[in-house]
Amino acid sequence: MESGSLAATGSARWPTEPSADALLRAADADRGRAEQFYFVLPDRFANGDPGNDRGGLTGDRLGTGHDPTDKGFYHGGDLRGLLNRLDYVQGLGTTAIWLAPVFKNRPVQGSGADASAGYHGYWITDFTQVDPHFGSKDDLKKLVREAHRRGIKIYLDVIVNHTADVLKHAEAEYSYRDKATTPYRDAQGRPFEDRNYADGSRGFPPVDEASFPYTPTFASAADRRVKVPAWLNDPTMYHNRGDSTFVGESSEYGDFFGLDDLWTERPEVVRGMTKIFADWITELGVDGYRLDTAKHVNLDFWPQFRQGIDRAAQRAGKPDFFMFGEVYDSNPEVASTYVRRGGLPGTLDFTFQDAARSYVAAGGSARALADGFARDDLYTARDTHAGRLPTFLGNHDMGRIGSFIAGGGTDPASHLRRDVLAHELMFLTRGQPVVYSGDEQGFTGPGGDKDARQDMFASRTADYLDDDLLGTDRSHAVDQFDPTHPVYRTIAELGALRKAHPALRDGIQVTRYAADGPGVFAVSRADPTDRVEYVAAVNNATTAQTVTVDTWSAGATFTGVYGVTGASRAGPDGKLTLTVPALSALVLRAGV
C-alpha cells in the first residue's frame, strides 16, 4: 500500500492498492485470529464472596485495605463474581478476558490523605499467589476452566518493572540520581555501565549494597522478607536511583511513583521474572499476557523474556500464546520499537486511541485516523503485524471514552450516538478491540485513574454516585449488568458481525477515504483467502455525507451488512458512491 495523495477536495485518498499477487502473499502469512477483549478490574466488577472482602486481614481500612466508600480502596469484587457473570461477558461476543493483576499486593501504601489500597493489583509483594481480596488460586483455576469451556481465553496483566513500595533509602531522599553523576560500582568500588551486560552475553559484575547512589534499607524487619519469591527481597536486584521523572534515563531506571524498580538489566532478574510468569502458564493454562509499563523496561529485557515465555507456552500446549505491551505513547515510531527491537508480538495501540478519541469526542479529522493506519508497516516483524495490535478507546489510567465524549456539549442523545460510533469505529477497523468493563453500560466519570474505576455492582462511593451514565436513567447505586443497554447491544452486534464476516476481524485493511476534517473515514477489508471485499465507513459529522471511494470490485454489487439495507453497484472503474448518515457507520459487502 502506498501512502497516497490529496484530492482536490482536501480529502485524503489512497488510489494505489495492493495487487492480487500482494493479496495472495498476505494469505500465506500466519495472521492469527484477532480476539475481542473485555478488560476487568476484579475488585470493581462483581462481589461473589463477601467473606474475602478484607483479604483475611483484621483491623480498620488501613489494615485490611477495604473501604467501599473510598474510590482508592478495595470494594469487594473478586474472581467468583466474574465467574458468576460470565454469561454477561460472553453475551458481548467476548473471546478473551484481560484481567488486571490478581497477584498478592501490599494492602495499603502511603499515609494520611495519601493512603490508598492495592485494589488495582499493581503493588505486588507475592508474585506466586492470588491476592486474598480476590479469592484463591483455585478460584482463578475455576475461572480459566469455565472460560475455556465457553471458548473464552484468559489473559493476565503482569508486571516485570516493579514491585510494591518496600525499599527505603537510608539517606531519606528520593529525587532521581543519574548514572553520569553517580555510576553503579562493582563490589570493589569500580564504576561500570550496566547496559553493557543487559543482553545476557557477559557475566554481570558482582555488586553489594554500596554499589548504588542511594543505600537501600527497610522500614521494618518484616519488610525484609515480605516479597515472594525470596530473591525479590535482595535490595541489589533493584535500581535504587530514586523516583522517575518519566523523561530520559529515569524513565527506565527510576521508581515508578515510588514503587521498587527492578534492575532488569541483571540476568538474575531476567531469569527470575521469566520463571515467575512461565510457572503461571504451566500451572493454570492462561492464554496470554498484557505487559504493564513495558516502556519503562530496557529493550534488552524483552527478547530474553519472550523467549522463555514462548518455551513455557509451547510446553503447556499453547503455541498461540500472545503478549502485548503497554507502551504509553501515541507515536508509532516509539511503540513499534518494542515490536521490532524488543521482540514483543504487539503493543496497545495508543496511536489509534488518540486519533479515535479526537475523531469521535471532539469532531476531529478523519485524516488523523488514516495517518495512523498508514504507519502500520512499522509493526511488521517476524511473525506479527499491525492487525494484532489491541485497539482501545480509553482505559483505567487515562479515563473512559464516555468521559471524553460527555466532556463536550450538553446533548445526552448526541453523547450516546458518539459513544456507539466510537465502538463501531474500533470494531470495524483492523486490530483486536478492547472493551473496558463499564463502557458497555455508558460509564463516564470526571477523569482518569481512580475516577475511571467505577464499580459494576451497586456502588457506595460518593464520587461514583455523582457520575452520569450514557443511554440510561439508572445511577451507580444499582448493579450495571443490563444486556439491553444500547451500547451493550451495539457491541454484541458488532462482535457477531466480526464473527460472521472474518474479513472484518482478520482481513487486511486499506484506507479508501479520509475527510480532512469532520466527515467520512472509509476502508476496504478483505480476507486474502477468499478476497471478498467489504467497505466500512464511519461519519463523525453532524450531517449525512456522500463520498465516492475506490474498490477492487469493478462492477460488483455491494450489499449492506451493517447500518444500511439495500445495495449499491460499483462502476466499471471500481468506484463506489455511498451516503453515510450523521454520526453513523455502515458496512457493505461485494457480491460473489
Side-chain angles (χ1 to χ4, degrees):
M1 178 175 65
E2 295 184 1
S3 58
S5 60
L6 285 178
T9 61
S11 296
R13 295 174 182 268
W14 279 254
T16 304
E17 308 297 352
S19 65
D21 287 342
L23 284 174
L24 291 173
R25 286 196 298 273
D28 293 335
D30 180 13
R31 304 188 66 84
R33 190 191 78 177
E35 304 293 348
Q36 177 182 330
F37 284 97
Y38 188 70
F39 171 55
V40 174
L41 283 165
D43 179 65
R44 303 298 165 90
F45 190 71
N47 191 344
D49 181 8
N52 62 31
D53 286 0
R54 291 169 177 77
L57 303 170
T58 58
D60 62 12
R61 71 180 202 146
L62 296 180
T64 68
H66 180 253
D67 181 357
T69 68
D70 190 317
K71 60 187 177 183
F73 280 72
Y74 287 96
H75 289 183
D78 50 35
L79 295 171
R80 292 188 190 180
L82 177 56
L83 182 63
N84 294 341
R85 292 286 186 176
L86 282 181
D87 283 347
Y88 170 88
V89 175
Q90 187 174 19
L92 287 163
T94 302
T95 64
I97 296 171
W98 157 19
L99 288 173
V102 295
F103 314 105
K104 187 175 181 180
N105 269 230
R106 172 148 279 193
V108 177
Q109 292 188 169
S111 59
D114 292 329
S116 186
Y119 69 93
H120 42 67
Y122 293 101
W123 298 344
I124 303 171
T125 54
D126 187 342
F127 286 79
T128 69
Q129 297 297 325
V130 169
D131 191 295
H133 292 87
F134 302 147
S136 66
K137 191 176 286 188
D138 282 342
D139 291 330
L140 184 54
K141 289 178 179 177
K142 290 176 184 176
L143 176 62
V144 172
R145 286 198 301 268
E146 179 57 24
H148 285 175
R149 190 184 70 79
R150 295 166 177 259
I152 298 174
K153 296 179 179 179
I154 296 292
Y155 279 60
L156 299 184
D157 202 324
V158 304
I159 307 165
V160 303
N161 179 63
H162 58 261
T163 71
D165 183 10
V166 175
L167 285 171
K168 307 301 177 186
H169 297 166
E171 296 82 359
E173 184 182 336
Y174 296 91
S175 59
Y176 186 78
R177 292 183 177 177
D178 62 76
K179 293 197 294 181
T181 305
T182 53
Y184 288 117
R185 296 182 179 273
D186 65 18
Q188 283 72 48
R190 296 170 300 196
F192 71 95
E193 174 50 59
D194 62 317
R195 286 188 184 274
N196 293 337
Y197 305 88
D199 64 2
S201 63
R202 302 168 62 188
F204 201 84
V207 297
D208 57 28
E209 293 182 23
S211 297
F212 304 94
Y214 287 113
T215 307
T217 187
F218 298 90
S220 68
D223 279 353
R224 291 183 177 274
R225 57 181 182 277
V226 72
K227 296 178 185 178
V228 181
W231 66 266
L232 290 165
N233 295 306
D234 180 351
T236 70
M237 296 295 167
Y238 299 84
H239 282 132
N240 297 313
R241 289 198 162 273
D243 293 338
S244 178
T245 65
F246 301 102
V247 294
E249 172 193 301
S250 84
S251 183
E252 292 182 3
Y253 282 83
D255 288 359
F256 192 83
F257 296 105
L259 300 169
D260 299 347
D261 202 67
L262 283 157
W263 202 352
T264 46
E265 290 78 9
R266 289 195 66 160
E268 299 93 335
V269 174
V270 176
R271 291 193 297 267
M273 298 311 290
T274 302
K275 184 179 187 308
I276 285 169
F277 295 116
D279 288 349
W280 280 99
I281 302 170
T282 302
E283 186 172 359
L284 270 78
V286 295
D287 304 286
Y289 287 148
R290 180 264 194 181
L291 308 169
D292 181 66
T293 53
K295 182 181 178 181
H296 303 291
V297 177
N298 59 295
L299 275 173
D300 285 311
F301 175 92
W302 291 118
Q304 299 171 77
F305 180 80
R306 183 187 180 183
Q307 185 179 46
I309 293 300
D310 282 351
R311 283 197 297 263
Q314 289 285 345
R315 290 194 298 268
K318 293 189 172 293
D320 59 346
F321 194 91
F322 181 70
M323 296 187 289
F324 57 98
E326 179 203 25
V327 181
Y328 203 139
D329 199 307
S330 62
N331 182 351
E333 293 277 1
V334 175
S336 63
T337 299
Y338 293 81
V339 174
R340 297 192 317 272
R341 292 176 50 203
L344 297 182
T347 59
L348 280 165
D349 195 349
F350 282 87
T351 306
F352 170 83
Q353 190 280 331
D354 187 61
R357 171 183 174 175
S358 173
Y359 179 76
V360 176
S365 172
R367 180 72 180 275
L369 288 165
D371 288 345
F373 289 128
R375 309 304 300 280
D376 277 359
D377 59 322
L378 290 171
Y379 295 93
T380 301
R382 301 170 306 280
D383 57 348
T384 195
H385 50 86
R388 306 191 81 190
L389 301 182
T391 52
F392 67 105
L393 301 167
N395 64 23
H396 58 310
D397 292 324
M398 66 169 57
R400 296 180 178 275
I401 185 61
S403 174
F404 304 144
I405 291 169
T410 57
D411 178 11
S414 174
H415 291 164
L416 175 61
R417 184 55 245 171
R418 289 183 181 278
D419 200 325
V420 168
L421 181 66
H423 287 90
E424 290 171 329
L425 171 64
M426 179 170 66
F427 274 75
L428 297 178
T429 51
R430 68 100 181 101
Q432 306 192 73
V434 179
V435 176
Y436 175 25
S437 59
D439 281 0
E440 77 279 9
Q441 296 295 325
F443 283 18
T444 59
D449 198 71
K450 297 174 186 177
D451 287 330
R453 299 173 180 180
Q454 300 93 333
D455 305 311
M456 290 288 289
F457 54 100
S459 182
R460 295 168 53 192
T461 307
D463 285 345
Y464 297 157
L465 295 174
D466 283 345
D467 289 351
D468 293 326
L469 291 95
L470 305 180
T472 180
D473 293 328
R474 298 192 315 274
S475 78
H476 281 286
V478 298
D479 286 356
Q480 304 292 327
F481 297 100
D482 178 12
T484 69
H485 189 285
V487 181
Y488 183 102
R489 294 201 314 267
T490 295
I491 294 171
E493 184 179 1
L494 290 165
L497 182 74
R498 283 167 61 98
K499 183 178 181 180
H501 302 277
L504 299 175
R505 183 188 66 204
D506 302 313
I508 64 167
Q509 175 174 304
V510 175
T511 297
R512 295 301 194 182
Y513 189 94
D516 194 7
V520 171
F521 176 70
V523 297
S524 284
R525 304 293 308 275
D527 184 341
T529 58
D530 61 24
R531 300 167 63 187
V532 174
E533 183 175 10
Y534 292 73
V535 173
V538 294
N539 176 21
N540 71 336
T542 55
T543 57
Q545 301 287 304
T546 298
V547 298
T548 298
V549 302
D550 294 305
T551 74
W552 294 300
S553 308
T557 297
F558 281 80
T559 303
V561 296
Y562 181 84
V564 63
T565 58
S568 300
R569 181 176 291 277
D573 56 359
K575 294 187 180 298
L576 176 70
T577 299
L578 47 90
T579 299
V580 190
L583 301 178
S584 294
L586 55 82
V587 182
L588 301 101
R589 179 178 185 267
V592 293

